[in-house]
Amino acid sequence: YGLLFPDRTPKPALREHAHLAAPVRVHATPESLAEQAVEVENRAEVRRLDWLVATWEVAVDGEAVAGGDLPLPALPPGGRARLAVPWRDAADVPAGEAAAERWLTLRFRTAAAVAWAPAGFEVAWAQARLPDAVAARPRSAARPAAGAPAVALDDEGRLVHPMLAVPPALCLWRAPTDNDRIGGVAAR
């Protein structure tokens, strides 16, 4: 089970562990994002947040279009604070339906070198989908391309076609792993 392979290369679980053990957590709700704000929580037990610097970035369809520094308060351990993130004020952020997806990314890095990391080392990050992140065209309004055959659906929204005996249905299955054998899960 560890976080490294025998050759000491990191497993994907190491990145997940780093996120779960991050010293800072971001709470973003649609309401707070509409007000261009997030709540930051200091998850450390003895250290204030003044050892970190934060930046924000807005990505539209995966391309960074705006960003900047985000001043952090010197929150005490366990403290929470509301931070204003001026993402809407950035001139390069397209408005309305110009973007299919908009994501706000916050990164927290060391302000100065510490014994275990150089200055600028990323210790935490968080992402939130922005409230006006809507598809340029709603899925319900999708239309087949010109000349494409129409798609027939039954009353439950399942695909109907003369060449199908039954409509296709989602079926998720995976082979049992070693962990599934514990407690007899694999037998079920």
Side-chain angles (χ1 to χ4, degrees):
Y1 303 155
L3 297 176
L4 302 174
F5 289 108
D7 66 354
R8 295 186 181 187
T9 57
K11 290 183 179 180
L14 185 60
R15 184 79 168 149
E16 180 181 1
H17 173 71
H19 186 67
L20 293 173
V24 63
R25 172 109 353 122
V26 174
H27 304 277
T29 63
E31 295 81 21
S32 68
L33 288 171
E35 297 170 2
Q36 298 187 80
V38 295
E39 186 175 86
V40 176
E41 175 187 4
N42 182 356
R43 298 183 66 228
E45 294 185 21
V46 294
R47 198 170 198 184
R48 301 173 72 85
L49 278 188
D50 52 3
W51 66 285
L52 296 175
V53 293
T55 58
W56 64 275
E57 175 185 282
V58 171
V60 177
D61 291 336
E63 297 291 326
V65 296
D69 293 332
L70 186 62
L72 284 176
L75 274 178
R80 287 181 175 223
R82 188 174 170 99
L83 295 178
V85 183
W87 60 267
R88 196 175 287 137
D89 298 338
D92 349 347
V93 178
E97 296 183 339
E101 284 189 336
R102 289 188 202 192
W103 289 88
L104 172 65
T105 303
L106 303 175
R107 297 185 189 283
F108 302 88
R109 295 180 170 92
T110 55
V114 289
W116 51 269
F121 182 80
E122 185 176 285
V123 296
W125 61 272
Q127 271 191 325
R129 189 167 182 176
L130 295 177
D132 60 346
V134 295
R137 185 174 66 198
R139 291 177 194 243
S140 61
R143 304 201 192 306
V151 176
L153 302 174
D154 65 8
D155 293 337
E156 295 178 21
R158 296 179 299 186
L159 184 66
V160 178
H161 192 276
M163 296 186 71
L164 296 172
V166 294
L170 179 65
C171 179
L172 303 174
W173 181 86
R174 67 169 175 78
T177 65
D178 290 342
N179 289 342
D180 294 332
R181 294 185 186 146
I182 299 170
V185 175
R188 287 184 260 150

